[in-house]
């Protein structure tokens, strides 16, 4: 297998290339941190039927929840296995985590444990809709791409098709495009109209049927009545308190209620009523000419979302005025929401939910209390930004009919949006080095501060002094600033545990922590210049306003003093860096995928034991090809599915000089793809 170098260039620590940073997040780590507020810091104060008709319910701390890939069971083996880099333990492995850990590596391949097989499910350019042409890299068209699997797959969900054994709907986000890898001879200063149209079509989501294979975990795409592509031009309905707001009105949509397209869809979640939630994340990079704004209030609002400068890197404003802030100043306010898609009806209009606020949503994941209250958790993936939850005022309706579906698709339009404030148990013990407090753990309490209440009539009530309801819904970050929300180290995926009801948050990294003029370390973010990230565990009063928390993992090299694995023996864990997406197996084990591994090896997928005397034990299940990112983990009894994003994306590489040939080998171009892994 071909070995490729790991480049530590992104903000000086992560393995992300500068090129990935430019096209994925708009060079977020090379720009000034958007949050300049004086907010509070610690020192200052299943296998479940995921069908359209399935209803997932549970009680307070034993609730059925749905997140990245749903509530699914882990692959397992009866054989003992080594853990991480340290060899085998003396006691039997925990059920669901009993595989031989994959060693860190830099191979141009997906590497899986001994005794497992893998297969490509679908790759960029493969047909999704009947009539789509076979992919031809050198002869791409926008019309073809609109019928083919999009670029840079991220979140993935599998929903069983009721009445059809071993058949599923696979729903996948397409986060962003990296044009130098889409087109040979790409000129960043002079993209063409056709390249713009192809990129628009390569964004969004894909919905397609996949069929399983008896005796293995292989998945094969199939054409069906459900297959659909959602792109950068698909019509969306806007709901909630910002719908019809002057902040959302444009020349194309003077009502402020209809948006076109969805961009930078990162992670997501599955709802108990059979729909898919998708988070619009780094939307700032798609809009140009922010420097033309002279109104200081508008300029401040744009800057808080990282929207600044003259021409965008993508130059989309040359081809469509909606991406030109000088011509359409409100178009940018129509992105940055949680999107809901009904995958069972290809003719349905997707929804943008403004009641859940506007920020860089990594995802939105659902927890249902025993009385039917729906709680949606979401992180704002930016250095020093916040954690949010939405608590519905409407109860989830059970039943198989259209009335229940119609009702449940309005649940996220009425309720209260909150932001989190955390306090630590031992703030005086935190010096930024990652040293454990005397208690032997990082822990504390938290409170959810209400920002916005949306009534049954869809109208909002601001709970933040000096801001209207529409302002809170559209400029949610500023609302969090005003109430003193706790600044976190890039809060990404939230996932409720289907077994215990505890909630977990991936905090990916923040190398600006503790630098000049920036917030210093606190107990939930205990390291200055944090390059490896951590995983936070919450015991939340889900429909209430209080929680207690602790850090499950302080990631990094286990040989270093500033790492922590739930108290588990660090000589018996796999090195892990930059946690991003989370999922669970049916045993209640946590699975963590990584993005930007700062330990000179490829990103991967890890299983973590949460309970008992093995709490914190971490094993690497797979690695993705060099230059790639591990996304969208789905953990089932039959298989594990991951999305491999931007394989071979190095600064020296391009379509003219590919440095990866995964997944097709030979001299082929690298292509983002979905991969299934199963036990032999």
């Amino acid at each position: 297998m071909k070995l490729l170098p790991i480049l530590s260039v992104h903000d000086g620590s992560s393995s992300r290339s500068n090129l990935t940073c430019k096209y994925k997040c708009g060079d977020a780590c090379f720009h000034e941190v958007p949050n300049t507020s004086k907010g509070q810091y610690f020192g200052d104060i299943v296998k479940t039927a995921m069908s359209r008709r399935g209803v997932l319910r549970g009680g307070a701390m034993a609730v059925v929840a749905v997140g990245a890939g749903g509530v699914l069971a882990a692959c397992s083996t009866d054989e003992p296995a080594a853990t991480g880099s340290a060899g085998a333990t003396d006691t039997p492995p925990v059920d669901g985590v009993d595989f031989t850990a994959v060693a860190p590596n830099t191979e141009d391949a997906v590497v899986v444990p001994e005794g497992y097989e893998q297969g490509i499910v679908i790759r960029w350019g493969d047909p999704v809709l009947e009539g789509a042409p076979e992919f031809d890299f050198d002869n791409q068209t926008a019309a073809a791409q609109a019928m083919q699997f999009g670029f840079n797959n991220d979140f993935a969900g599998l929903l069983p098709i009721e009445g059809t054994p071993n058949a599923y709907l696979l729903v996948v986000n397409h986060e962003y495009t990296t044009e130098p890898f889409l087109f040979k001879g790409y000129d960043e200063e002079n993209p063409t109209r056709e390249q713009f149209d192809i990129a628009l079509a390569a964004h969004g989501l894909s919905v397609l049927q996949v069929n399983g294979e008896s005796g293995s975990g292989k998945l094969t795409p199939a054409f069906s009545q459900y297959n659909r592509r959602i792109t950068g031009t698909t019509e969306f309905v806007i709901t909630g308190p910002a719908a019809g707001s002057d902040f959302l009105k444009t020349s194309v949509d003077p009502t402020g209620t209809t948006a076109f397209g969805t961009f930078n869809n990162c992670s997501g979640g599955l709802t108990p009523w059979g729909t898919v939630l998708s988070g619009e994340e780094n939307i700032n990079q798609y809009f140009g000419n922010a420097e033309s704004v002279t109104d200081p209030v508008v300029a401040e609002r744009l800057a808080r979302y990282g929207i600044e400068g003259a021409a965008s890197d993508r130059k989309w404003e040359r081809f469509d005025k909606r991406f030109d802030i000088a011509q359409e100043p409100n178009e940018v306010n129509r992105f940055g929401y949680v999107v809901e898609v009904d995958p069972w009806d290809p003719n349905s209009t997707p929804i943008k939910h403004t009641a859940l606020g506007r920020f860089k949503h990594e995802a939105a994941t659902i927890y249902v209390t025993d009385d039917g209250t729906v709680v949606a958790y979401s992180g704002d993936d930016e250095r020093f930004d916040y954690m949010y939850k939405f608590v519905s005022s409407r109860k989830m309706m059970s039943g198989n009919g259209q009335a229940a579906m119609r009702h449940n698709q309005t649940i996220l339009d009425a309720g209260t949006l909150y932001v989190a404030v955390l306090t630590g148990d031992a703030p005086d013990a935190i010096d930024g080095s990652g040293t454990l407090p005397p208690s032997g753990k990082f822990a504390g309490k938290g409170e959810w501060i209400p920002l916005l209440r949306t009534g049954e009539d869809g109208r909002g009530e601001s709970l933040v002094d000096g801001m209207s309801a529409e302002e809170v819904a559209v400029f949610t970050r500023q609302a969090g600033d005003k109430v003193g929300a706790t600044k976190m180290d890039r809060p990404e995926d939230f996932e409720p545990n289907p077994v215990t009801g505890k909630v977990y948050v991936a905090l990916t990294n923040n190398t600006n922590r503790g630098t000049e003029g920036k917030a210093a370390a606190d107990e939930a973010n205990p390291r200055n210049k944090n390059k490896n990230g951590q995983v936070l565990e919450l015991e939340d009063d889900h429909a209430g306003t209080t929680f207690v928390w602790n850090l499950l993992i302080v990631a990094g090299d286990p040989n270093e003093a500033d790492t922590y694995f739930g108290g588990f023996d660090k000589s018996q864990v796999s090195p892990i860096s930059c946690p991003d997406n989370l999922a669970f197996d049916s045993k209640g084990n946590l699975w963590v995928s990584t993005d930007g591994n700062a330990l000179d090896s490829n990103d991967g997928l890890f299983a973590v034991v949460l309970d008992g005397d093995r709490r914190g034990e971490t094993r690497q299940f797979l690695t993705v090809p060099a230059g790639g990112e591990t996304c969208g983990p789905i953990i089932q009894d039959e298989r594990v599915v991951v999305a491999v994003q931007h394989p071979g994306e190095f600064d020296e590489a391009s379509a003219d000089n590919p440095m990866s040939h995964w997944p097709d080998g030979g001299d082929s171009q690298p292509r983002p793809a979905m991969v299934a892994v199963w036990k032999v």
Side-chain angles (χ1 to χ4, degrees), residues 333-374:
N333 296 334
R334 294 146 67 84
F335 295 87
Y337 299 101
V338 171
V339 168
E340 184 170 9
V341 175
D342 181 356
W344 304 99
D345 182 1
N347 297 314
S348 61
T349 302
I351 301 165
K352 293 195 178 189
H353 289 289
T354 68
L356 275 65
R358 175 175 167 264
F359 45 89
K360 291 186 177 182
H361 288 273
E362 168 73 13
T365 54
I366 298 296
Y367 182 101
V368 184
T369 67
D370 56 355
D371 71 348
T373 299
V374 172

Side-chain angles (χ1 to χ4, degrees), residues 99-153:
F99 53 83
T100 302
V102 167
N105 64 80
T106 58
E107 295 185 16
D108 186 25
V110 173
V111 180
V112 300
E114 181 181 353
Y116 286 78
E117 291 186 358
Q118 60 177 289
I120 300 299
V121 181
I122 190 168
R123 55 177 72 73
W124 166 48
D126 286 347
V128 171
L129 304 180
E130 283 194 274
E134 290 299 318
F135 182 65
D136 183 345
F137 184 91
D138 294 315
N139 294 285
Q140 299 178 60
T141 68
Q145 178 63 87
M147 303 175 72
Q148 296 166 332
F149 195 68
F151 201 72
N152 272 338
N153 31 231

Side-chain angles (χ1 to χ4, degrees), residues 83-85 101-102 556 558 565 570 572-576 606 618-620:
T83 60
S85 57
V102 167
F565 291 81
K570 293 199 295 182
Q572 298 294 323
V573 302
S574 296
I576 182 173
F606 300 76
T618 301
R619 297 191 188 194
Q620 184 161 245

Side-chain angles (χ1 to χ4, degrees), residues 237-255:
V237 61
I238 300 170
T239 66
S245 163
D246 287 343
F247 296 126
L248 269 60
K249 294 176 180 177
T250 67
S251 63
V252 174
D253 173 34
T255 69

Side-chain angles (χ1 to χ4, degrees), residues 548-576:
V548 296
W549 65 265
N550 69 86
L551 289 182
L552 170 69
I553 292 175
V554 181
D557 182 347
N559 293 316
E560 298 295 331
D562 68 344
T563 57
Y564 173 77
F565 291 81
F568 190 73
D569 180 359
K570 293 199 295 182
S571 70
Q572 298 294 323
V573 302
S574 296
I576 182 173

